[in-house]
Amino acid sequence: MDLKALLQRFDGRSRLLVHALHLGATGTNNAQTVFNKQRRCDPDFTLTPFLETLCQQEAYVREDVLVLKPLVCLFSEDFKRNLLCFLHLIHPGLPKDSVLHLLQCLTQDDKENQWACALIKQLQRDIEGTRKGTILTSNCTETLKSLCARFRDANAKGRWASCFEGLKTEGKETDVSVLYQKKRKSDNMDHDGEVQEDHQSKRVKMDFSPSKEQERLPEEEEHKMRTTQQNQSTASVSQAHSDLLGSSKNLPDHMKAAIPVIKELLDTKSEWDESSVSALKVFHECDPDEVEVLCSLLCLSEASEQSLPQFCSCLLELSPDLSHSTASAVITHLLLHKIVSLAEPASRCLVTAVTSLCTRYPRPTCQALIEPVLRKGQTGSAQAELLCRLVVDCLEPHHRPLVFRTILEVSWNESVLSVIHALLDSKLDLSEEDFSVFTDQLCSQSAYFSKSMKFAKMLLSVLTKYQSHVNPACHHTLSSCLSFNETFLKKSLQAALKRISL
């Protein structure tokens, strides 16, 4: 049955979704965009008719026999994959029974697709809130076991074979998460002496040949391969060092003379004085390329956190201030890696350094530090805590929208929500366009954070502190957003929305 005939079974709004889900790799995103627009136009819009139509029995001819199948089974594989991904995104706001009924219909498909089966099982687990069973098919389990058998010493303690110790060959399967946990536990308990081997030597010990006789590489060949890889790694580092030294030859002599003086001050605990400030004046005389070379030769990214407050204090005594490009380069080399790699709250020394530079050089800090941290998509609680402090205590009101616009372009998690909330509490001066884009983003993210208290509190802040920004279009968007909320604040949110006069 062609698409045109299938579309006749749907109402007008549902047809738009069907068309969107047929658009190949972009089908899921397109369907979510269509759905969000429909919700903004009509907050009471529901997908129930769409889901019920997909579950209707449809007669078709197969091998000269008239058979009945759910309508969803007659669509292409791309459509069904996009449909499942779409449901994964928005299912918190849909009737559970309707979604589960559709998933049951999809299991009646004649064409077995392992990806579709895994998506169906995972979505069922998410909706039911259980982790019973597994998303692995029997074929997948056998394939993983076969892969495990190809490793050298497959039965040795700590090897990949340990991942399958709890796997039963008949009737029981082990979940992916269990396999991973068992491997990690086994690796941590492995004290047979091979734990100390480096990553490269472990890789060369893998034997992917199907022959069972070749269980390990000859020791001479293994040693040769490991030596070759180490030589290549050393050569790579040497080449980078040579390139840096080559670039340093182009620096003027007085810049070269300043390098050991600054490095000595960074490497020792001696007090900085006026001569230290004089040495840093070399940054005023550098062009952008020379600044990059100078920062690399000074190894600013490797400077200890204890040395940062004094170094930054001397930088701030320079007169005139550093140029925008020079300040950005120094901030990048000195602070970016330290903040991105934070696994626990920043030290007092690091906080002092960051806040002092941010206060003096707010725009370079936004572009060279805050924006890259957010765009890397690895913003954790430690990074969020520091960013919140910067946007509230250090940035001027006209600089905060720069951070806000960056956040609208990156993926959100709970830590990013903390930064957004801090920005909103700082009484952002938002344009009508910025606020409209923000409400659209809230709507698109609401399904992901339906049970998040941080997201709910952020919505409450929007509805109580930015009422004057809410126009009729934004009002519809926010109403659609609230329909996904499943926290105890939902009634408060709805009441706050009703109090906004248009």
Side-chain angles (χ1 to χ4, degrees):
M1 187 177 294
D2 60 14
L3 178 60
K4 186 175 180 180
L6 293 172
L7 285 173
Q8 299 301 319
R9 308 296 192 272
F10 296 90
D11 59 34
R13 289 181 173 181
S14 297
R15 289 176 190 174
L16 293 175
L17 281 173
V18 174
H19 275 296
L21 291 168
H22 263 286
L23 296 178
T26 62
T28 301
N29 289 334
N30 289 329
Q32 188 178 18
T33 300
V34 170
F35 177 64
N36 287 336
K37 288 182 178 179
Q38 291 173 334
R39 294 282 299 228
R40 286 198 293 271
C41 294
D42 180 9
D44 296 325
F45 172 71
T46 175
L47 284 185
T48 301
F50 173 69
L51 299 176
E52 290 177 348
T53 303
L54 288 172
C55 296
Q56 289 178 1
Q57 295 294 316
E58 185 72 22
Y60 75 104
V61 178
R62 184 184 66 185
E63 299 178 358
D64 298 329
V65 178
L66 188 66
V67 296
L68 288 176
K69 282 286 183 182
L71 185 63
V72 67
C73 295
L74 305 184
F75 283 91
S76 66
E77 293 300 315
D78 285 344
F79 174 88
K80 285 180 279 192
R81 183 184 63 250
N82 288 336
L83 173 64
L84 286 168
C85 293
F86 174 59
L87 293 176
H88 270 279
L89 296 177
I90 67 166
H91 75 83
L94 301 178
K96 293 182 180 180
D97 292 340
S98 297
V99 179
L100 290 173
H101 185 205
L102 177 59
L103 296 180
Q104 183 62 35
C105 292
L106 282 166
T107 61
Q108 301 176 33
D109 199 346
D110 294 328
K111 300 176 182 178
E112 183 178 353
N113 184 301
Q114 292 192 3
W115 279 111
C117 290
L119 288 170
I120 291 170
K121 291 178 181 178
Q122 185 60 51
L123 186 52
Q124 287 174 331
R125 289 161 56 139
D126 290 343
I127 293 174
E128 295 171 352
T130 179
R131 286 295 178 265
K132 294 180 180 178
T134 176
I135 62 173
L136 295 179
T137 64
S138 56
N139 288 339
C140 180
T141 302
E142 292 302 321
T143 301
L144 288 173
K145 291 176 66 178
S146 175
L147 177 63
C148 167
R150 294 185 182 185
F151 284 82
R152 180 180 69 84
D153 293 335
N155 293 322
K157 183 178 181 180
R159 298 294 179 181
W160 279 91
S162 64
C163 298
F164 300 92
E165 290 174 356
L167 200 66
K168 240 187 173 182
T169 57
E170 295 181 2
K172 290 187 180 179
E173 296 172 331
T174 304
D175 200 351
V176 173
S177 60
V178 177
L179 297 180
Y180 181 74
Q181 291 170 2
K182 286 188 177 181
K183 178 189 180 301
R184 290 291 302 271
K185 182 178 179 180
S186 180
D187 286 345
N188 292 335
M189 296 176 62
D190 186 1
H191 299 292
D192 60 359
E194 294 183 355
V195 173
Q196 303 300 324
E197 294 176 356
D198 62 7
H199 179 64
Q200 295 293 341
S201 68
K202 286 183 179 178
R203 290 184 63 182
V204 300
K205 291 182 181 180
M206 298 178 185
D207 179 13
F208 289 95
S209 169
S211 172
K212 294 183 179 179
E213 297 178 357
Q214 186 182 4
E215 293 188 353
R216 70 170 69 225
L217 293 171
E219 291 184 3
E220 296 81 1
E221 183 179 352
E222 180 180 343
H223 176 71
K224 185 185 297 184
M225 291 178 66
R226 184 165 61 248
T227 302
T228 301
Q229 290 170 341
Q230 291 173 346
N231 290 340
Q232 290 175 347
S233 176
T234 303
S236 162
V237 173
S238 299
Q239 181 62 40
H241 185 64
S242 299
D243 293 343
L244 187 60
L245 290 177
S247 301
S248 67
K249 292 179 181 178
N250 298 325
L251 292 177
D253 290 340
H254 68 284
M255 292 185 185
K256 295 178 183 177
I259 292 174
V261 177
I262 299 174
K263 287 193 69 173
E264 182 178 358
L265 292 169
L266 281 170
D267 293 338
T268 64
K269 297 182 180 179
S270 60
E271 293 291 332
W272 290 53
D273 51 27
E274 292 184 2
S275 62
S276 307
V277 178
S278 299
L280 292 177
K281 289 181 180 179
V282 69
F283 283 109
H284 281 311
E285 306 167 18
C286 298
D287 62 32
D289 291 336
E290 290 171 341
V291 171
E292 289 293 333
V293 174
L294 188 59
C295 289
S296 298
L297 291 172
L298 290 173
C299 302
L300 292 184
S301 61
E302 301 172 11
S304 66
E305 293 187 5
Q306 290 73 21
S307 67
L308 294 182
Q310 287 194 101
F311 180 75
C312 292
S313 177
C314 289
L315 278 178
L316 297 179
E317 290 183 22
L318 290 175
S319 181
D321 288 346
L322 298 175
S323 67
H324 177 90
S325 60
T326 300
S328 297
V330 172
I331 289 171
T332 297
H333 283 271
L334 189 66
L335 300 174
L336 181 58
H337 175 70
K338 292 179 174 63
I339 292 177
V340 170
S341 59
L342 281 176
E344 54 186 23
S347 66
R348 180 183 58 81
C349 291
L350 182 57
V351 171
T352 301
V354 175
T355 53
S356 63
L357 288 181
C358 184
T359 302
R360 175 67 65 86
Y361 300 104
R363 187 172 288 271
T365 301
C366 288
Q367 296 178 352
L369 185 65
I370 299 176
E371 181 176 336
V373 169
L374 291 170
R375 290 193 184 280
K376 285 181 180 295
Q378 299 177 344
T379 307
S381 58
Q383 288 82 5
E385 181 181 349
L386 186 56
L387 294 184
C388 288
R389 184 164 184 171
L390 294 181
V391 300
V392 173
D393 299 335
C394 303
L395 294 182
E396 295 294 331
H398 60 280
H399 289 127
R400 291 167 187 157
L402 296 176
V403 181
F404 187 75
R405 293 185 192 112
T406 298
I407 287 179
L408 296 181
E409 300 172 0
V410 304
S411 59
W412 291 2
N413 59 22
E414 290 286 330
S415 298
V416 174
L417 295 183
S418 298
V419 181
I420 300 174
H421 203 171
L423 283 167
L424 294 173
D425 286 346
S426 68
K427 298 181 180 179
L428 274 174
D429 183 14
L430 294 178
S431 66
E432 182 179 345
E433 180 182 359
D434 285 341
F435 189 76
S436 178
V437 174
F438 178 49
T439 55
D440 287 343
Q441 183 76 330
L442 287 175
C443 187
S444 65
Q445 298 284 342
S446 56
Y448 298 101
F449 298 104
S450 60
K451 299 180 180 180
S452 168
M453 285 300 300
K454 282 187 180 180
F455 191 80
K457 290 178 180 178
M458 183 180 67
L459 285 175
L460 193 58
S461 182
V462 171
L463 296 174
T464 55
K465 297 180 180 180
Y466 294 85
Q467 296 179 357
S468 60
H469 292 73
V470 179
N471 56 32
C474 292
H475 192 280
H476 277 296
T477 302
L478 291 170
S479 178
S480 172
C481 182
L482 298 188
S483 65
F484 284 100
N485 194 273
E486 298 180 18
T487 69
F488 69 85
L489 289 177
K490 183 170 185 175
K491 290 185 178 179
S492 299
L493 292 169
Q494 292 172 333
L497 183 62
K498 288 180 179 179
R499 285 194 293 269
I500 298 178
S501 57
L502 301 178

